[in-house]
Amino acid sequence: MLLVHIIIALASLVITTYLYVKPSKARLNSAYGLVVMTLSSGTYLVISTHSAILSSCVTGLIYLAVVGSGIFLAHRKLLSQT
């Protein structure tokens, strides 16, 4: 499950980067979906493995800040194009 979580998170970063370069509504929805999948799988991993929640949450917040900023900037760019 950890490998799936990492693949989803990396795909989310790649899609968000591509979304910023070439914004579209479909890519925006894909980025949102990957963020939800990453947070869901991360929550499952914390619960199922009883890992330290503090380090997991800090890492999750950093991920969310990076991806959230990328999505926000791409959304603004998309709005300016229409």
Side-chain angles (χ1 to χ4, degrees):
M1 184 66 184
L2 178 62
L3 183 60
V4 172
H5 175 69
I6 292 170
I7 290 170
I8 293 169
L10 290 175
S12 175
L13 291 169
V14 169
I15 291 293
T16 301
T17 303
Y18 190 60
L19 171 65
Y20 180 74
V21 173
K22 291 190 126 192
S24 76
K25 183 72 173 163
R27 287 186 200 99
L28 190 61
N29 289 334
S30 296
Y32 286 143
L34 286 169
V35 168
V36 169
M37 288 172 56
T38 303
L39 293 177
S40 299
S41 63
T43 301
Y44 173 78
L45 282 170
V46 167
I47 291 170
S48 67
T49 61
H50 306 290
S51 64
I53 193 160
L54 182 62
S55 65
S56 299
C57 285
V58 168
T59 304
L61 287 174
I62 292 169
Y63 159 80
L64 198 56
V66 169
V67 173
S69 298
I71 289 174
F72 174 76
L73 293 171
H75 186 61
R76 273 190 16 186
K77 194 173 180 182
L78 183 62
L79 287 177
S80 70
Q81 290 178 355
T82 55

